[in-house]
Amino acid sequence: MKRAALAALAVVLAGCGGRPRDVVVITLDTFRADRLGCYGSTRGLTPRLDAFAREAVVFADASCAVPLTLPSHAVIFTGRYPSTTGVRNNGAFVVPASETTLAEALAARGWRTGAVIAAFPLKARFGLSQGFEIFDEDLPAVALEPGRTFAVHFAERDATAVTDRALAVWARLAGKPRFLWAHYFDAHAPYTAPARFAAAHPDAPYDAEVAYVDEQVGRLLDTLERDAPDALIVIAGDHGESLGEHGEKTHGVFLYQSTVHVPLMIRAPRRWPKPGVIEAPVSLADVMPTVLGTVDVPAPPGLDGADLAPLIERHRPPHREVYAESYLPFLQFRFSPLTMLRDGGLKYIEAPTPELYDVGADPGERRNTWSRSGPASEMAERLAEQRARADAQAAGRAEGALDAEAEARLRSLGYASAGTLAGSSGPPGRDPKTMTGYLESYDEAIGLVGAGEVEKGLSMLRALVPQAPENFMVHYQIAAALIGSGRNDQAVPELEQVIAAAPEFGAAHMMLGESLAALGRLDDAVARFDAAARAMPGLAEPKITEGHALETRGRFDAAAVAYHDAIEREPSSWNAAYALLTLRVGRGDVAHAVDELAALRGEHAGSWALETTYADALSRQGETGRAEEAIRRSLALDPNRLETLERAAAIFVAARQPKEAIDAYRKILAAGPGTAAAQWGLAKVLVQAGTDGEADAAIGELERQYPRRADALILRGLLFERRGDREAAEGAYRKAVALDPGSEPARRALERLVRGGAR
């Protein structure tokens, strides 16, 4: 009661009408603040965002804490710097489960939570799905266009698709207070806006992407403003884009304003009805505590960010400096990492050649005013104190997210890194700003390899080796290119050089193991996989890869041991559990799989992966009742895992539980619209369940999408039969036979009906 009274008093004192019910965070990936009209642009690119800004509090001097997608979003949603969470790069790090995310804090207080992400670096495997009831991460496959020489290209979905899915998720969350996160990635390179935007900005493809995102964010805002006019809405960039400034083509290496300065706007009509502009420097780390404070939810302890309410309400805020960093130069090239401290208009960058700028007087950061005394010296001391406060164990908790699929994808895009900070506290490496030509050539070489110009890319990579011998990642990229072109024998010495330089680099051990296995050196390969397992103690992947190598060479018992080891290392690994199951099934020994998985799930209670695989094994053995019990246990552990839902649907069909099967198929389709197996499965169950109207719509959609498949006409015939319309059913079957004369199911259905046999 006392707390409620104090909260009510605080609301009155703030001049607001109560806390917002709904919360929305919209993140604009790779968005330069200077492209928005509300930040001074005259290009006319962002009319919808500018309209939003006129009703919001705009933070004119907001900074990201790291100019990379995953680490920056981790800052937004945990309120903690990379030095605290340990998340310092894309792909090789995961937000630790020990972190409390904004979604978790809100879900614990009754909010329904949903997210729609647009690109691979934010996939659930990297940890930001924590606390989200719905985490929509369905992304299209990515392929570099022939001749493209730009390396950094992630799997992504465009702004129209993001808005469509965000609106669908928003609708699904109705009924309770809602928290929605929508992520837009289009402004990230390569810049390929839809034709009408590209035509409007023929000489500025980045601007075309910004204009496209603005339109689609506006479409989302239209619905949000109609459904929840009092919602708390935060719009933030995660980082900017250099576009060639300071010798950087994109982002990630340097800490200049082109990539660190981000848009940040907050609209909360019930709390702050008057719009305004805040000039004081703030950080994206401030987003989480500000959101929680606005909706009266206590913030977790140990945050680096602060509630911005005192700034917004014109109280005198405490003096606070803003921190940023980039460890990508070290992680990817073994150059010196960079750190930054902002104190008012002064910006100090710690590097082998330090830098000090007055960003108010010199926004382009052209005049380095650093000297060994004065403000630079004092800021260097405070920055050293900031680094000293970092959690020394954080990186260890966050390292190791990279499995084989993620590593290969990121490597092919030029974002591969050793993923470890070993050696980063030693003498500083080369100053990244002296290596801009090298960095550009490295990026181009990776792009050439990815575009199929392997020899040209290899030539460029080899030319880089003597320019920076410490960068063992060049040898790693050379090895990857050689393996991709079938030259495992040439890749082996390259990888041996990598391991000699970085014995802790688990992915290099794995790649070497795969090369050795391909060359028939299986015992040597197993030794490398074991080394990878030691380097990555929390991951199943090294042992899974070892098991695959053994299995393909007929060493099935040894493969089973490797899969068991993988499960012991990571009981939640679906790939490990399923590898064991498929090994046994392939050997015709389902009963053995059932017994093994029963024992494993007993040893590792709470593993959805083992429970789901156990249900699968029981189903394959024909034990439908026990399979149904197991899949229900798995759904109770995690109701949204696609692997579980896919098997649940099949098991419920076999158990004649159509309602549960329909629910499972619909969840699959909600997470991945257009998933063919789920579409067909849902249509079949709807027909069997007698839900004629829904079945008719589902079959119609299949007929539209697959006009050359007889299966939809067969389902249509079954639906007519269920309705008692034998003539229409016969017509459908005859059409199916005519469409595909070789279709045995269509022919049998027609013959059965003509003979007058029962269904």
Side-chain angles (χ1 to χ4, degrees), residues 150-242:
F150 189 76
V152 186
H153 186 198
F154 291 116
E156 63 176 288
R157 51 182 164 188
D158 71 8
T160 298
V162 170
T163 295
D164 288 345
R165 296 303 306 145
L167 291 172
V169 170
W170 175 255
R172 287 174 61 197
L173 296 175
K176 288 185 176 181
R178 293 179 271 194
F179 169 44
L180 173 69
W181 168 31
H183 167 239
Y184 291 86
F185 194 71
D186 302 74
H188 195 286
Y191 317 122
T192 53
R196 62 188 175 91
F197 292 94
H201 306 280
D203 300 319
Y206 175 80
D207 289 1
E209 293 279 37
V210 169
Y212 174 43
V213 171
D214 178 77
E215 178 191 79
Q216 291 303 313
V217 170
R219 191 160 67 88
L220 176 59
L221 289 172
D222 287 341
T223 294
L224 298 177
E225 290 162 358
R226 183 194 68 225
D227 291 355
D230 294 331
L232 166 61
I233 301 178
V234 178
I235 298 179
D238 68 337
H239 56 75
E241 188 78 320
S242 281

Side-chain angles (χ1 to χ4, degrees), residues 221-478:
L221 289 172
D222 287 341
T223 294
L224 298 177
E225 290 162 358
R226 183 194 68 225
D227 291 355
D230 294 331
L232 166 61
I233 301 178
V234 178
I235 298 179
D238 68 337
H239 56 75
E241 188 78 320
S242 281
L243 300 176
E245 294 181 22
H246 297 278
E248 185 175 29
K249 190 171 186 179
T250 57
H251 60 270
V253 174
F254 297 119
L255 296 175
Y256 300 114
Q257 290 297 88
S258 54
T259 61
V260 171
H261 185 206
V262 293
L264 176 61
M265 301 177 278
I266 300 176
R267 189 175 73 186
R270 298 181 67 183
R271 177 69 183 271
W272 300 302
K274 293 183 179 180
V277 177
I278 304 295
E279 300 288 349
V282 300
S283 169
L284 290 181
D286 301 328
V287 170
M288 181 195 190
T290 302
V291 169
L292 292 178
T294 305
V295 297
D296 195 27
V297 172
L303 300 190
D304 295 308
D307 188 343
L308 295 173
L311 265 179
I312 297 171
E313 293 161 12
R314 306 300 180 182
H315 300 168
R316 182 182 295 277
H319 177 264
R320 190 166 65 95
E321 294 170 320
V322 173
Y323 171 81
E325 66 171 49
S326 175
Y327 272 72
L328 185 141
F330 177 81
L331 291 167
Q332 192 160 319
F333 304 105
R334 288 311 187 256
F335 300 159
S336 175
L338 302 174
T339 53
M340 179 206 91
L341 198 67
R342 275 288 304 276
D343 184 356
L346 291 181
K347 174 177 178 177
Y348 173 73
I349 299 174
E350 181 74 39
T353 299
E355 299 168 80
L356 180 69
Y357 300 100
D358 181 341
V359 296
D362 179 22
E365 295 161 292
R366 300 300 178 190
R367 297 185 297 277
N368 179 7
T369 62
W370 176 83
S371 66
R372 294 186 182 278
S373 59
S377 175
E378 297 167 5
M379 293 180 74
E381 290 179 8
R382 296 198 298 275
L383 183 54
E385 293 170 2
Q386 166 75 33
R387 292 197 302 269
R389 291 195 297 270
D391 184 345
Q393 307 303 316
R397 291 194 300 270
E399 287 171 358
L402 213 57
D403 63 19
E405 177 192 352
E407 187 280 330
R409 186 188 296 269
L410 289 166
R411 170 172 32 84
S412 70
L413 306 175
Y415 268 94
S417 75
T420 174
L421 295 178
S424 63
S425 59
R430 297 173 193 262
D431 194 325
K433 59 181 171 284
T434 69
M435 302 297 291
T436 54
Y438 178 100
L439 298 173
E440 185 175 352
S441 295
Y442 182 90
D443 177 72
E444 183 180 355
I446 303 305
L448 287 166
V449 172
E453 297 186 57
V454 176
E455 295 309 317
K456 188 174 180 180
L458 277 170
S459 178
M460 289 188 67
L461 287 169
R462 290 183 174 120
L464 292 175
V465 171
Q467 296 181 39
E470 72 274 26
N471 180 17
F472 58 80
M473 293 302 293
V474 169
H475 292 286
Y476 187 68
Q477 294 284 3
I478 291 171

